[in-house]
Amino acid sequence: MALSFISNSVTRNYLPFQIPSPRKSLCKLLDSSRHLKDAVPVCSPPALFCRSQGFASLRRSASAISLQPANYEFSDSATELELRIPLMGDAFRYSEGILVDTDESSLIIKFRSPSSVQTLMEVGNLYDRIKPAETIWYIDEDQLVVNLKKHDPDLKWPDIMETWESLSTGVMQLLKGTSIYTVGNSSEMNWEVAKQLASGLGYAPLNTSELLETIARQSIDTWIASEGADSVAEAEGAILESLSSHARAVVATLGGSNGAAGRADKWRHLYAGFTVWLDLSEASEKSAEEVARNVQSSDKHGYSNADVIVRLEQWDSNLSQIAAQACLSALKRLILSDKQLPGKKSLYIRLGCRGDWPNIEPPGYDPSKAVEESS
């Protein structure tokens, strides 16, 4: 799986991420992600969700050192973060054996004994950046206390690292009610990931395919066979117009050229929310950065307008939460690169979704005249 995102803001920031295919670690990750603090988190760069989150048990040495990560405490007090890890065993009585190493996005805690070096905690993907030079740590009775200085004092950290739970909580606050649209060639994939996103964020899950079939009282395939794909895309565009004023919704769109999202001229109302392109591709020799740049330079593909690209090398319904977590990770970075984006989306909606995203024009702007002048 690979993940990239493109900011369609005025500055057009570009930040790529490469995520290898999860394959062997999927089941283990899914089983463990709900019980993060029941095991020592071990993260290695770069892998799943920008950096892999595997889980392993702490190995005991002859000195009977033990760690109880299930009880670790984490707190965010404005500019500083505090991590408290309970320690057990006489070997921890002295601080000489403790090694704490940090950079802007990672944390490693090790214990060095005369016979070995143990990794107590390794987080390769902190929730956000820190100032490593200002990290301090000490032993408080039977706890190791690590104080970290946040790079962004205004950002609230739900946890020390990116997890499904921390991202769900953190991104919900960053979105400020802005809706999300999942687009891509697979209607099923769009819907499965949308349901996971809605569940995590506390948003309403909506499926344009189901809405269309309910209104038309026929299946999408039958509709296309009788009236053509253009008729379906036009009808979905009308539904997206209606949904553009809705807040706190995750909308799954029709896949492929049958739907509105696959057509560049039907994006006027999709700009009202954050769009996530779920790109299923086996072309693993291409980096996420290369794919994203190629899409960004294309004006023929509707998906080139998406705010976020999540690239998957394989798909089945069991991968939906993994893909959803990658979406949240990219959305977080996108919004943190321009914290005004949710407000700009809100302004765009209030002015009538006129198609002038990201360069929002003053009130009175007529998109039809703009098209005529361009022609």
Side-chain angles (χ1 to χ4, degrees), residues 180-184 190 193 197 267 274-279 306-310 323 327-328 331:
I180 298 172
Y181 298 86
T182 55
V183 304
N190 295 346
V193 175
L197 287 170
W267 272 69
F274 287 104
T275 46
V276 179
W277 175 16
L278 302 171
D279 178 28
D307 296 303
V308 169
I309 303 172
V310 177
C327 295
L328 292 179
L331 285 170

Side-chain angles (χ1 to χ4, degrees), residues 308-357:
V308 169
I309 303 172
V310 177
R311 187 165 172 243
L312 303 94
E313 295 178 6
Q314 58 179 335
W315 169 255
D316 64 57
S317 58
N318 293 326
L319 305 179
S320 58
Q321 190 182 85
I322 291 177
Q325 182 168 337
C327 295
L328 292 179
S329 181
L331 285 170
K332 176 171 72 73
R333 284 160 173 75
L334 175 66
I335 297 173
L336 290 179
S337 71
D338 183 357
K339 294 181 181 179
Q340 304 303 316
L341 278 174
K344 292 176 184 177
K345 294 284 187 181
S346 177
L347 175 62
Y348 178 77
I349 295 170
R350 294 199 303 273
L351 291 176
C353 297
R354 302 169 302 182
D356 52 343
W357 181 266

Side-chain angles (χ1 to χ4, degrees), residues 71 73 84-87 138-145:
N71 299 321
E73 300 174 10
R84 286 180 170 266
I85 303 175
L87 304 173
Y138 57 93
I139 293 179
D140 181 14
E141 295 183 353
D142 60 348
Q143 288 185 321
L144 172 64
V145 182

Side-chain angles (χ1 to χ4, degrees), residues 126-164:
L126 294 171
Y127 187 79
D128 194 49
R129 291 183 299 160
I130 61 170
K131 299 178 181 180
E134 300 182 41
T135 299
I136 62 173
W137 64 270
Y138 57 93
I139 293 179
D140 181 14
E141 295 183 353
D142 60 348
Q143 288 185 321
L144 172 64
V145 182
V146 182
N147 289 112
L148 308 167
K149 185 78 72 173
K150 292 194 292 185
H151 190 275
D152 182 354
D154 297 325
L155 178 65
K156 182 68 175 178
W157 286 40
D159 203 347
I160 189 66
M161 69 187 75
E162 282 193 349
T163 65
W164 173 247

